[in-house]
Amino acid sequence: MLFRRVVKFTLNTVRHRSRQSNFQYCIDLVKNNDYDSYLTTLLTPKQVLRPAFALRAFNIEISTIGKSAVDSRVGEAKIIYWKDQIDQVFNSLKNTEQTARFNDPISQEIYLMVKHFNLSKARFSRFIEAKKNFLTIQQFKNCDELESFADFSNMSYILFNCLGVNSVDCDHAANHIGKAQLLCFVTKNLLKNPTQMVYYLPGDLLIKHKISQQDLFNFSERILRPKRQNLKNLAFDLCSRANDHIRCARNLNDKIAQNAKPILAGSISCDVFLSKMQKYDFDLMDPKLNSNFRTSFLIKLILAKLKNNY
């Protein structure tokens, strides 16, 4: 109840300050596609709340590109579209006398953010390039390659720039949390969307646990049930690595600027997921894993807000 009031107050404040439908579009896109991220983003300091939702929306637009034969063609077109949009955003900044107008609401929000906070193009370009390269590879060779992809896709660095925070420790913590988030994402969706998650799974882990890509492409409970223990071991390795990253990030807590800590709140959803995995012995086939753990997530979000930690 308390958290609902906080959410309502925050959004009412946002809507009062900005009635632009572009911003509301970004909020709705995040809310409808990644509700946990939506709740986490509400903890963001007010001065960068609008950029935070714009970046989340941009992330969703890029990250939902799939890797099937059809998806890849659509994905390539989408990558070209967003590369052109980012180019136009930064080219428009050369005209300082007039505010540019974009038909795409996310592009318009990114333009306003870049203009207001004087951001560089490099982070946006790296993010798009990372996704473009992802479409061309068949498989990550190992966890290091997967985590490198996570770092290129990390939007927290841009929000630090918006806050005026220039800290190696903040970047280091964000790096660890971004890697943990991707590892948790892959584990969580492994059996929900196996034909897409298979591309994220490092080859060395599949070999180690005697699971083939074909097993996941031809996913069925009949095929994978004999390999239930193999899947548990695979999930354990992914979760252990994610947990190590969360611990490393939290060990830096005392070195993180107070106003930057809410940017790192993505660690909370990882923490809740990892606790759930441990509770059910990392068994991805356990139906209880599909139960809703949002109550514990909300409690931890509220505590993080009150204590200003992550």
Side-chain angles (χ1 to χ4, degrees):
M1 196 69 181
L2 174 62
F3 193 81
R4 287 180 183 175
R5 290 179 182 176
V6 172
V7 170
K8 188 175 181 181
F9 173 77
T10 303
L11 286 184
N12 284 342
T13 302
V14 169
R15 288 167 184 160
H16 176 72
R17 290 180 178 178
S18 175
R19 300 182 183 276
Q20 295 185 35
S21 59
N22 292 333
F23 182 35
Q24 189 60 50
Y25 175 88
C26 292
I27 292 174
D28 292 341
L29 184 67
V30 176
K31 184 177 182 179
N32 294 332
N33 287 274
D34 190 350
Y35 195 71
D36 287 352
S37 289
Y38 162 74
L39 294 175
T40 302
T41 305
L42 291 174
L43 299 182
T44 306
K46 288 182 182 179
Q47 64 266 38
V48 293
L49 186 61
R50 186 166 180 163
F53 272 110
L55 288 172
R56 290 283 189 189
F58 177 59
N59 191 14
I60 287 170
E61 281 288 310
I62 300 292
S63 298
T64 51
I65 296 172
K67 281 198 58 157
S68 68
V70 175
D71 286 338
S72 289
R73 290 194 293 272
V74 174
E76 288 170 6
K78 210 168 185 180
I79 289 291
I80 292 171
Y81 170 80
W82 279 109
K83 183 179 183 303
D84 289 344
Q85 288 293 294
I86 295 300
D87 287 342
Q88 289 178 38
V89 163
F90 283 89
N91 288 336
S92 299
L93 295 174
K94 297 174 183 178
N95 185 355
T96 57
E97 298 178 359
Q98 188 176 357
T99 300
R101 298 294 177 188
F102 293 85
N103 292 328
D104 187 287
I106 299 175
S107 300
Q108 185 65 38
E109 287 298 299
I110 290 175
Y111 167 78
L112 294 174
M113 171 179 58
V114 169
K115 184 176 182 180
H116 182 75
F117 293 102
N118 193 27
L119 302 174
S120 73
K121 186 179 178 180
R123 290 288 183 189
F124 294 95
S125 297
R126 283 181 64 191
F127 181 59
I128 294 173
E129 191 65 24
K131 190 62 182 181
K132 179 182 177 182
N133 292 337
F134 174 65
L135 291 177
T136 64
I137 66 171
Q138 289 299 313
Q139 188 180 43
F140 291 111
K141 294 178 182 178
N142 49 52
C143 281
D144 288 337
E145 283 193 2
L146 174 63
E147 291 177 358
S148 178
F149 172 72
D151 190 43
F152 281 119
S153 306
N154 198 324
M155 296 276 104
S156 297
Y157 305 123
I158 297 176
L159 287 178
F160 289 148
N161 290 339
C162 292
L163 279 173
V165 173
N166 185 14
S167 164
V168 173
D169 291 319
C170 286
D171 288 350
H172 194 189
N175 175 284
H176 283 297
I177 291 172
K179 290 174 179 177
Q181 285 178 305
L182 182 57
L183 290 166
C184 289
F185 169 77
V186 174
T187 308
K188 182 178 182 179
N189 292 285
L190 181 55
L191 296 190
K192 294 179 182 178
N193 192 6
T195 57
Q196 291 297 325
M197 292 305 105
V198 66
Y199 293 107
Y200 290 93
L201 288 171
D204 60 347
L205 279 185
L206 289 177
I207 293 171
K208 175 183 176 181
H209 298 296
K210 298 179 180 178
I211 300 171
S212 69
Q213 281 190 320
Q214 206 59 40
D215 290 334
L216 295 169
F217 279 127
N218 300 328
F219 172 74
S220 72
E221 191 169 325
R222 179 183 61 82
I223 292 174
L224 286 180
R225 186 159 291 280
K227 295 190 176 184
R228 188 170 186 169
Q229 186 60 48
N230 305 60
L231 285 169
K232 286 173 67 173
N233 295 338
L234 173 64
F236 175 79
D237 278 358
L238 291 170
C239 289
S240 295
R241 194 160 178 127
N243 187 59
D244 288 343
H245 284 301
I246 295 298
R247 286 169 55 192
C248 288
R250 289 178 171 170
N251 285 340
L252 294 166
N253 182 62
D254 293 339
K255 300 178 180 180
I256 304 299
Q258 293 300 308
N259 63 337
K261 288 183 180 181
I263 306 298
L264 303 173
S267 64
I268 299 170
S269 60
C270 292
D271 190 39
V272 172
F273 173 72
L274 293 172
S275 296
K276 180 169 66 171
M277 288 295 293
Q278 185 176 26
K279 180 177 181 180
Y280 296 113
D281 196 28
F282 304 94
D283 186 0
L284 293 171
M285 289 187 169
D286 192 323
K288 291 190 286 294
L289 271 177
N290 295 321
S291 57
N292 195 328
F293 280 72
R294 186 152 287 147
T295 301
S296 59
F297 176 55
L298 290 175
I299 291 172
K300 289 195 174 187
L301 274 182
I302 292 170
L303 291 175
K305 178 69 173 177
L306 294 173
K307 296 179 180 179
N308 193 28
N309 62 23
Y310 55 92

